[in-house]
Structure formats: structure tokens, C-alpha cells
Amino acid sequence: MLFEILALLLGLVHFGVPLTYYTCMKKFTKRPWNIKIDPSYRPAVMVVIPTYNEAAIIEDRLNNMSMQDYCKELTEVVVMDSSNDDTAQIAENWAKEAKDARTKVIRQGRRDGKARALNFALKSATEEILVIADADASWPGNALTEAVRWLSDPTVGAVSCLKKPLSAGPGGMEEGYRRYYNTLRLGESKAFATPIFHGELAAFRRDLLLRVGGFPENLGADDSHTATKIALLGYRAIIPETLWCEEVVPRKSDYFSWRVRRAQHLILHFLESSRAKPKGNFAWIIAVETFLHLINPWILLMSVLLVILAAAIFHSLVAYVLVTIGLVLLSVNQYRMWLAQQSNLLFAALRNITNKEIVWKKQIK
Ligand code: GDD
Ligand code: MN
């Protein structure tokens, strides 16, 4: 019976902590922002599109960018390219045609990771705000205006977006995942700051980027870690409910490697961030997110192993019942999504030992 009790206790912790956190964050989403918007704030903005072999979509991305309703004279778009396909050429041709779009292309010559590309752009930037815009994302026309609006309060150091997947992913998994995580991002932002940002749109004050030493080149999660460092300086790093981006989801055969690589980078980010000494609400946000990314998946694994052992060795009725409940629950989308994410985090932790994927394999979308 010891195995079953232990398994139940571990299961209770594994599901109890995220459920409690989710309930708590959901309440926070209803709180006020305590942010003062200054509608007259009009800073100069550099938008950086890092590209590695994006020939198939770069034109769409640049067209999408040119639809922004933020003042064109204040916006410079830089394509930071390290492709070995025609991305740079296509972007250059596009820029020649659309002169008022103030777009330039920088060819890096060789590929050495997204963070290095961003740091290269940061070095040459003079604008007050720097925005990362991944190539495979699509922004609504008011995205820049909206990001700048939130940055008009000097207590806000960084702003990112909620994400809408363009397809539901295998078995509707991506959609379930986003519904859950968007709520967490918004709740954390209202509580103070969210430690997870999205490179599909991530806007930073340039002076703060310089203060935190630019984008981390050894962690992968350039967006999240930079936002967290800015929050650790005492500035808010937020994802508001008014800012949404669309994101292309890789095809089924690449979906899991995509999720595992992203999980690898979040693990590296929280490993590093958990060493910091955050204050106030951000202290428990970092504590819970670190627990959820680094420890909680292992608690589930232990719980499952104990149940399987109890069933196989002791033929325990309680263990059989627990296995049956676990299998029946697989018909629930959110539960399947959760288990998949836990196994991604487990694979990711192991994979980090041999390959941190700082320069990563491109997934086919
Ligand atoms: N210049 C340059 N050099 N750009 C790169 C490189 C590189 O070595 N590698 C990737 N990129 C570009 C891609 O072309 C794309 O525009 C963007 O960086 C993001 O890469 P994706 O391949 O689309 O990865 P993702 O959507 O999973 O990225 C997410 O996770 C990353 C961490 O794993 C985003 O949130 C990223 O912001 C985050 O860095
Ligand atoms: Mn992407």
C-alpha cells in the first residue's frame, strides 16, 4: 500500500500545484493593470526580423510589417539574415520596391544563432525601442502602436504578445496548450511580470537591453530570459490582453521536436533565473514557474512508475484503478496536452545534457 499512497501524494502535488497556480492567475487576469498610458508617446522603433532560411515566407512577413499603422518615419525594419537560401535576396528586392517601408537587410555571412543575430542588431541600433519580430509570425495592423502604448509608462520595460496558433496542432494539442498558457501569461503580467516572452513580438526599451547585457547567447530563450532580467531590475515585463500574434505551427512530424527544443530553452532559462533574488510577486512567479519546468515533470514520472510497479509486482487493486482512471482521462484534450508537455519537458531535460540546440534545426511548417 506504501507505493500507492506515495504515488497518490506525488500525483496530488503534480496536478495540485499547477491547478492552484492557474486558478490564482485566472483571478489576477481580472485585476487592474496599474499602468498609466501616455497616448502622446511616439518613440523611434527598430524592428528586427531574424531570419534563417525563410525564403518561402519573408515576403509575406515584410508585407505584413508594412501594414503596421505606427508612424513609418519612426520605424526602421532590419532583416538580420544568416540563411543559406534566397531569403536575403528576396528581402532586398522587396525593400527596393517599397522604399517608404524603411527596410534594410544585413547579411551575417554565417549562421551562429538567433541571439547573436539580435545582439548584432542591438549594437547598431539608435532607436529607443527594439522589437523582435520572428519571421513566421503575423501581426495585426495595430501591433506596434499597441506595444508602444504599453511602453509609454516608464515602469514598463518590455512588452510581448499572446499567441494564436494558425492551426490546432496534432489532436488539437497546440490550441489547448495556448488557451492554458495565455491565461498564465496575462495573470503573471498583471501580478507584476511574466517570465515567458514570445519572440513573435517582443518589444524592449533599448537602454534596458544594454543594462542587462543584451540577449543571452548560451540559453536559447533569448526573449524570455531578457524579459526576466529586465523584470529583475524592477521594471514590468508584460503581455497585455490587447496584443495578439498569429503563429504558424509546424507539421505533425516536426511538432514534437519543436516543442522539445522550446522546452529545452525554457529549462535553461529557469535554471539560470532561479539563481536570482526576485522581489514581491515576481519572487513566487519565478519560484512556481521554476518548479513547473524543472521539478514537476519528474514528480509525475515517479508517481506513474510507482503505480506501474504496484500493479505489476503486487497486483494491487488500487493501482489498477489508478491506471484505469489515467487511461480514461486520455479522452480529455487538456489532459492529453498536459501529459504531452510533461513528456516534452522530461525529454528536453535529458536532451540538454548532450545538445542545448542553441543553433537549432529548422522545423518544417
Ligand atoms: N539570423 C538568424 N540566425 N535567425 C535565426 C537563426 C539564426 O541562427 N535561427 C533561427 N532564426 C530565426 C528564424 O528564422 C525565425 O524568424 C526566428 O529566428 C525564430 O526561429 P523559429 O525556428 O521560428 O523558432 P521558434 O518559433 O520555435 O522560436 C521560438 O522559440 C525560440 C527558443 O527556442 C521563439 O519564441 C523564439 O523567439 C525563441 O528564441
Ligand atoms: Mn517560429
Side-chain angles (χ1 to χ4, degrees):
M1 202 57 190
L2 185 67
F3 276 33
E4 294 89 321
I5 293 175
L6 210 58
L8 266 173
L9 282 178
L10 290 171
L12 223 61
V13 173
H14 175 82
F15 289 103
V17 174
L19 272 175
T20 312
Y21 189 59
Y22 180 79
T23 313
C24 177
M25 282 304 129
K26 193 142 183 150
K27 281 203 183 118
F28 265 101
T29 61
K30 307 210 165 75
R31 296 261 182 107
W33 277 103
N34 296 324
I35 284 174
K36 252 214 196 94
I37 305 278
D38 170 5
S40 65
Y41 183 58
R42 282 281 174 280
V45 175
M46 179 193 267
V47 178
V48 184
I49 308 180
T51 50
Y52 171 69
N53 290 359
E54 303 288 10
I57 57 165
I58 188 63
E59 216 168 50
D60 285 350
R61 187 72 186 100
L62 291 169
N63 284 331
N64 175 253
M65 198 61 76
S66 68
M67 311 284 269
Q68 286 301 304
D69 62 11
Y70 193 65
C71 176
K72 291 267 181 296
E73 287 74 49
L74 291 172
T75 315
E76 184 184 28
V77 179
V78 176
V79 178
M80 281 301 305
D81 182 64
S82 51
S83 308
N84 50 32
D85 69 358
D86 293 337
T87 306
Q89 191 58 53
I90 296 171
E92 275 161 4
N93 293 346
W94 187 95
K96 253 184 242 152
E97 299 274 303
K99 285 204 178 64
D100 65 326
R102 301 187 70 219
T103 300
K104 72 174 181 201
V105 181
I106 300 179
R107 293 175 187 246
Q108 284 181 281
R110 69 191 177 104
R111 183 186 189 201
D112 51 11
K114 181 186 169 192
R116 287 242 168 102
L118 297 178
N119 282 330
F120 196 81
L122 175 61
K123 259 187 230 143
S124 70
T126 53
E127 291 81 354
E128 195 170 321
I129 305 295
L130 191 133
V131 189
I132 311 175
D134 285 356
D136 54 352
S138 154
W139 292 2
N142 67 344
L144 261 189
T145 307
E146 197 53 37
V148 164
R149 208 171 71 84
W150 289 97
L151 282 163
S152 69
D153 183 323
T155 65
V156 178
V159 173
S160 189
C161 60
L162 293 167
K163 290 211 276 193
K164 216 178 270 172
L166 275 176
S167 56
M173 213 172 274
E174 187 61 21
E175 223 163 51
Y177 180 84
R178 275 300 149 216
R179 221 175 304 133
Y180 174 78
Y181 286 95
N182 279 340
T183 304
L184 293 191
R185 298 295 81 82
L186 184 57
E188 291 168 341
S189 300
K190 289 216 175 168
F192 179 66
T194 178
I196 298 186
F197 253 40
H198 301 136
E200 287 71 26
L201 188 166
F204 303 94
R205 284 183 198 287
R206 188 173 56 89
D207 61 333
L208 295 179
L209 282 179
L210 295 173
R211 265 178 75 187
V212 301
F215 298 94
E217 296 181 355
N218 55 345
L219 298 173
D222 47 84
D223 35 19
S224 300
H225 199 64
T226 310
T228 299
K229 278 176 117 177
I230 287 176
L232 287 168
L233 289 177
Y235 292 86
R236 294 185 66 178
I238 59 164
I239 293 190
E241 65 271 68
T242 52
L243 195 44
W244 285 83
C245 288
E246 288 180 325
E247 175 182 40
V248 187
V249 178
R251 63 178 189 191
K252 197 172 170 190
S253 58
D254 272 10
Y255 181 78
F256 287 100
S257 65
W258 181 61
R259 279 253 147 266
V260 168
R261 186 248 305 154
R262 285 182 166 194
Q264 282 185 259
H265 293 164
L266 286 177
I267 288 173
L268 295 173
H269 156 49
F270 282 112
L271 264 175
E272 184 72 23
S273 301
S274 60
R275 291 195 204 136
K277 302 256 173 298
K279 293 196 193 81
N281 281 352
F282 202 48
W284 55 261
I285 291 173
I286 289 286
V288 176
E289 288 290 5
T290 302
F291 171 82
L292 292 177
H293 285 86
L294 303 190
I295 302 167
N296 210 29
W298 298 95
I299 293 184
L300 177 67
L301 181 66
M302 277 194 287
S303 172
V304 170
L305 287 178
L306 283 171
V307 172
I308 292 175
L309 279 179
I313 301 174
F314 307 116
H315 305 291
S316 138
L317 185 65
V318 180
Y320 286 138
V321 172
L322 288 175
V323 171
T324 313
I325 295 175
L327 291 176
V328 169
L329 279 175
L330 281 175
S331 58
V332 180
N333 182 8
Q334 283 304 94
Y335 178 76
R336 275 201 312 274
M337 174 282 283
W338 183 259
L339 291 194
Q341 177 60 0
Q342 300 313 300
S343 78
N344 291 343
L345 283 163
L346 290 171
F347 276 122
L350 297 176
R351 192 134 200 279
N352 269 339
I353 299 171
T354 53
N355 179 359
K356 295 193 167 58
E357 289 261 358
I358 302 303
V359 180
W360 57 81
K361 175 186 164 281
K362 186 183 167 60
Q363 273 83 26
I364 308 297
K365 309 257 161 73

